[in-house]
Amino acid sequence: VLKLFKLLHRTRQEVFKNDTKALEAARQKINEEFRNNRDETSEEKINELLKIASDVEVILRTSVIQAVHTDSDRI
């Protein structure tokens, strides 16, 4: 669980580099989700939550694009 938690935070830092608002929002969401489920004892539910977190990490890494305006009409 801790390994996946750290991986999500590392991915967040790479994907949202130089975007302080997105970095903070992602940090809060990751921490909130793990905190909300920290008392879970059902092995089945824990495995389901870990699968969801793993899928989120893959989606962040492969699907999120950060764009930067380089000119008034260019991104």
Side-chain angles (χ1 to χ4, degrees):
V1 174
L2 185 57
K3 183 178 178 180
L4 186 55
F5 179 79
K6 289 179 178 182
L7 178 61
L8 277 166
H9 278 289
R10 276 188 240 111
T11 301
R12 165 190 72 90
Q13 289 174 333
E14 291 174 24
V15 170
F16 300 118
K17 187 181 348 181
N18 299 325
D19 186 346
T20 56
K21 287 183 181 180
L23 279 167
E24 181 61 22
R27 184 187 71 76
Q28 287 178 359
K29 185 64 175 173
I30 292 167
N31 291 345
E32 175 186 330
E33 290 299 322
F34 275 81
R35 193 176 308 114
N36 288 344
N37 295 296
R38 73 176 167 209
D39 295 328
E40 186 61 55
T41 57
S42 166
E43 188 174 337
E44 185 178 307
K45 180 69 174 172
I46 291 170
N47 288 333
E48 180 184 328
L49 290 167
L50 290 174
K51 174 71 173 122
I52 291 169
S54 179
D55 291 346
V56 167
E57 193 276 332
V58 170
I59 289 169
L60 279 173
R61 195 169 13 90
T62 60
S63 300
V64 175
I65 298 172
Q66 287 290 96
V68 177
H69 282 280
T70 58
D71 199 0
S72 62
D73 60 345
R74 288 187 165 181
I75 295 181

